[in-house]
Amino acid sequence: MHVVHDGPRQAPPLVLIHGSGASSGSWSPVVPALADRYHVIRIDLPGHGQSPPASSYDVPEQAGSLAAALDELDLGPITLVAHSSGGYKHAAQLVRFDHAAHLLAAGNAAAWVAAASGYVDQSHLHREVKAFTGATPTAVAAAPWLAIDDVAWPTSFADVSYPLPGG
């Protein structure tokens, strides 16, 4: 996918995702206000802007494409801002992560969890768990919040840049 970088690379990463029928250029008016404090990353989703068409535009596949692009960028923990349908794609990624985290907490092997949750491989699962929580899959599997509520979110990872439900 086509990616545009603005601001200093050593600054905290801020990923901007556009909605349907738009492109990374949609964010151009706000980039100058953000690029002095953040490493701003704008991604053209498949079939938008300068990215090639996708084989499918369903939300899970688009979320998978976005997750793969973020994996490839290897940014570590990020703040993600999404507009319109770009938010649906991020939500699908959160649902996949939540499912995987609970399978890990149930004692399943990471390789099996990766396959059962739709990750490309175990390292893809590891990178996404690390990005969402700042912790390894082993640490997440041992987190007490998973044992209490299968839809709960971590309070011990409050510094995670991803928005937590209800927040």
Side-chain angles (χ1 to χ4, degrees), residues 59-60 63-64 66-67 70 78 80 82 86-102 117 119 125 128-129 131-133 145-146 150-154 160-167:
V59 171
L66 175 58
L70 292 173
I78 65 169
L80 188 138
Y88 295 127
K89 291 156 185 67
H90 182 57
Q93 188 180 5
L94 282 168
V95 168
R96 179 177 65 187
F97 160 76
D98 184 66
H99 176 69
H102 288 93
S117 301
Y119 289 93
L125 168 69
E128 191 161 288
V129 168
F132 274 108
T133 67
W145 53 271
L146 287 171
D150 70 351
V151 294
W153 284 85
V160 174
S161 296
Y162 286 87
L164 299 177

Side-chain angles (χ1 to χ4, degrees), residues 18-69:
H18 61 81
S20 292
S23 72
S24 60
S26 302
W27 295 102
S28 294
V30 299
V31 169
L34 300 170
D36 61 337
R37 296 185 334 206
Y38 296 98
H39 171 199
V40 179
I41 300 104
R42 296 179 283 158
I43 300 175
D44 280 337
L45 294 171
H48 295 78
Q50 296 182 43
S51 289
S55 58
S56 169
Y57 291 95
D58 68 339
V59 171
E61 185 163 326
Q62 290 281 307
S65 296
L66 175 58

